[in-house]
Amino acid sequence: MTLLGWIIIFSLLGGVLSVIAASVFLLINDKYQKIILPHTVSFAIGALLGAALLALLPHAITVNENVDLHDLGLTLLIGLLGFFLLEKMVLWRHCHSTHCEVHSPSEIHKSTEAHSPAELQQENEHHAHGHQHGSKDASGTLIIVGDAVHNLVDGVLIAAAFMTDVDLGIVTALAVAAHEIPQEIGDFAILLNSGFKRGRALLFNIMASMATLIGAVIAYYSLQSMQHALPYILAIAASSFIYIAVADLIPDLHKRTELRATVQQITLIALGVVTIYWAHSTLH
C-alpha cells in the first residue's frame, strides 16, 4: 500500500469512523452511557499521553540528527500556548456530556452587566420563545466549526506522523480515534439538544469529520518538500495531545473524587498508555 493510502485510511479512522461510533453509542440506554463514557475519557487520556511522550516526542528528537533540542522544546511550548488560545476562541473545547459550559447557549449569550427585574423577565421570555433557534445558531454552529478546525489539525498531524514512520502514523491515528470518540459523543448529544434532528446532526458531524482527511491530504503534498519541518510538526502534535489530556480531559475526572472512581480512572489511564506502548513496540 502506498503512503498516501495509509494516510487516507487512518485519517478516515480518526474522523468519520469516530463519528459513526459516537452515533451508535447514543443508541445505548442512558443508564449505560453514563457508566461507559467516563471510562472512554480515562482511556483516551492514557492513549494521548502515551502517544505524545512515548512515540511522537522520541521520533521528533531522532528523525533528524541536526534538529536543535532547544528549538524543539520551544515548538512544544508554542504549541501548548497556541492550543490554549484556540480554546479561548471556543474552537478547541471538547464536550463529553449533553451540557458543555463553553458551548452552552446560556454561557454564550450571558452578559456581564447587571439587569433590572424587568429586563431579566423580558430576556427570559425572549429566550423561552427563541431557545430552539438560538441553540441552533449558537451551540450548533460553534460545535460544528470547532470540530472541523480540530479535525483539520488532526489530519495534518496524522499525515506528518506517517511521513516520518508508518508505525508512528498508526499509533498517532489510534490516539486521535481514542479521544475523538468521546468528544464526538458529547458534540453529537449537544447538537441533538440544540434542536437538530438525529439525521441532520449525523450529517453535519460527518461533514466536519471529513476535515481530517482534507488536512491529511494537504499535509501529504505540502510536507514532501519540507522534510526538515517534520520534527517540529511532531512536536506540535505532541503538544496537542498533551494539552487535550491535561487541560481538557483530566479536569473532567476530578469531578469524581471517591476512591473507587479514582482507582478506575488510574487503571484505565494506565491501560491507554500500555495500549499505545504495546502497539508502538509491536509495529516496530
Side-chain angles (χ1 to χ4, degrees):
M1 185 184 298
T2 64
L3 180 60
L4 181 59
W6 281 105
I7 291 173
I8 291 174
I9 289 173
F10 279 90
S11 295
L12 291 174
L13 172 66
V16 177
L17 291 183
S18 297
V19 173
I20 294 173
S23 62
V24 170
F25 178 87
L26 289 175
L27 298 176
I28 301 174
N29 185 280
D30 288 347
K31 175 184 176 182
Y32 296 108
Q33 286 184 27
K34 292 178 181 178
I35 296 173
I36 297 172
L37 187 56
H39 297 330
T40 66
V41 172
S42 296
F43 180 85
I45 290 169
L48 289 169
L49 293 177
L53 301 174
L54 302 179
L56 288 168
L57 282 179
H59 274 276
I61 294 170
T62 59
V63 69
N64 187 339
E65 60 182 16
N66 296 321
V67 67
D68 188 310
L69 295 182
H70 291 91
D71 289 346
L72 209 59
L74 179 61
T75 303
L76 183 68
L77 177 59
I78 291 173
L80 290 170
L81 294 176
F83 293 122
F84 169 74
L85 290 176
L86 279 175
E87 187 169 44
K88 282 288 187 179
M89 295 166 60
V90 200
L91 292 177
W92 202 253
R93 184 68 178 175
H94 286 56
C95 292
H96 307 104
S97 63
T98 55
H99 170 74
C100 176
E101 61 183 14
V102 174
H103 293 146
S104 170
S106 61
E107 292 295 326
I108 294 169
H109 297 293
K110 186 182 291 182
S111 171
T112 57
E113 299 177 357
H115 296 280
S116 67
E119 289 173 326
L120 287 173
Q121 182 178 359
Q122 184 179 7
E123 185 177 68
N124 288 336
E125 289 175 356
H126 173 74
H127 284 168
H129 286 94
H131 176 73
Q132 185 89 353
H133 179 73
S135 294
K136 276 188 181 181
D137 289 347
S139 298
T141 301
L142 282 174
I143 288 285
I144 294 164
V145 171
D147 203 20
V149 171
H150 186 103
N151 290 334
L152 187 72
V153 174
D154 280 344
V156 173
L157 303 183
I158 289 172
F162 268 105
M163 294 179 71
T164 303
D165 190 75
V166 171
D167 71 275
L168 179 65
I170 293 173
V171 168
T172 302
L174 290 176
V176 167
H179 86 266
E180 279 294 326
I181 292 175
Q183 177 201 341
E184 294 294 349
I185 290 169
D187 289 352
F188 197 96
I190 292 169
L191 287 178
L192 295 179
N193 282 353
S194 298
F196 285 76
K197 293 184 178 179
R198 188 174 294 271
R200 192 161 180 256
L202 178 61
L203 175 62
F204 275 99
N205 262 3
I206 290 177
M207 289 172 61
S209 72
M210 293 302 294
T212 306
L213 179 59
I214 294 171
V217 172
I218 291 174
Y220 171 75
Y221 286 106
S222 61
L223 291 177
Q224 289 195 44
S225 59
M226 298 172 57
Q227 293 294 318
H228 63 280
L230 283 178
Y232 303 102
I233 296 175
L234 294 181
I236 292 174
S239 69
S240 167
F241 287 2
I242 292 170
Y243 184 85
I244 292 169
V246 174
D248 192 15
L249 301 185
I250 287 180
D252 286 346
L253 303 191
H254 289 318
K255 296 174 182 177
R256 299 180 61 194
T257 57
E258 60 271 22
L259 179 60
R260 180 180 178 184
T262 302
V263 172
Q264 290 175 342
Q265 291 165 358
I266 293 174
T267 301
L268 287 165
I269 290 172
L271 180 60
V273 173
V274 169
T275 299
I276 292 298
Y277 178 81
W278 173 82
H280 194 237
S281 301
T282 302
L283 290 170
H284 261 99

